[in-house]
Amino acid sequence: MPPVAHVDLPRFMGDWYVIAHIPSWPERDAYDAVESYALRDDGRIQTTFRYRDGSFDEPIKTMTPIGTVRPDTGNAVWGMQFIWPIQAEYVIAYLDDDYRTTIVGRSKRDYVWIMARSPRLDDAEYAGLVERVAALGYDTGKLRRVPRN
């Protein structure tokens, strides 16, 4: 999975709306999914993933993994730790110049996330991001658009 050349970490921090994904098991029925990042004093990244499981009426669930930037990757490859000591690969494979849209994937091409700073994208912009996901080697037939209220 080719990462972007460089990520300005402070600029990448904040809320990212999950627009579409090939989801991991816990998020397979996610609604209103938002991933938030905050730099910690120790240089790691506090991540908060919020979503509703199965419908808009469900209570918000939260997962809080910790990201660790892998050295010599331009801040574009992270180890995301949900359970100690395992760190899942997290590759920022696309990031637009304005830090408005991003694609995060994995070398295994098992999961991918299309995210944006706003909760919705127009059809043309979304289609362009789906094309990028396909170019990364993913089966875009598995993409799920995240329902958003």
Side-chain angles (χ1 to χ4, degrees):
M1 176 69 51
V4 296
H6 178 75
V7 175
D8 177 343
L9 282 180
R11 194 170 175 199
F12 195 81
M13 297 297 104
D15 292 345
W16 288 93
Y17 295 89
V18 182
I19 304 299
H21 56 185
I22 297 176
S24 64
W25 181 256
E27 61 184 322
R28 69 193 179 284
D29 293 319
Y31 282 61
D32 287 336
V34 179
E35 183 117 315
S36 301
Y37 305 113
L39 271 176
R40 295 167 33 142
D41 290 339
D42 64 6
R44 295 186 300 166
I45 299 154
Q46 181 61 57
T47 305
T48 305
F49 179 65
R50 299 180 312 275
Y51 67 103
R52 297 178 188 278
D53 190 15
S55 81
F56 294 118
D57 298 324
E58 293 298 318
I60 294 173
K61 289 190 170 193
T62 305
M63 297 182 347
T64 55
I66 303 293
T68 301
V69 176
R70 298 215 172 128
D72 305 317
T73 65
N75 299 328
V77 180
W78 303 359
M80 194 63 76
Q81 186 172 25
F82 291 86
I83 300 169
W84 187 86
I86 300 166
Q87 288 191 357
E89 179 192 53
Y90 188 100
V91 179
I92 301 168
Y94 170 75
L95 180 59
D96 75 309
D97 292 340
D98 295 328
Y99 283 61
R100 281 187 345 95
T101 59
T102 191
I103 296 170
V104 175
R106 291 169 32 95
S107 295
K108 293 181 180 179
R109 272 101 176 149
D110 49 359
Y111 310 125
V112 69
W113 298 267
I114 295 173
M115 298 189 291
R117 294 294 192 178
S118 60
R120 290 179 177 72
L121 297 176
D122 67 43
D123 291 340
E125 190 169 23
Y126 176 72
L129 290 166
V130 170
E131 285 178 19
R132 287 181 181 277
V133 168
L136 290 169
Y138 283 92
D139 175 357
T140 58
K142 294 180 180 180
L143 268 177
R144 172 186 180 265
R145 257 187 123 153
V146 174
R148 193 150 296 291
N149 199 1

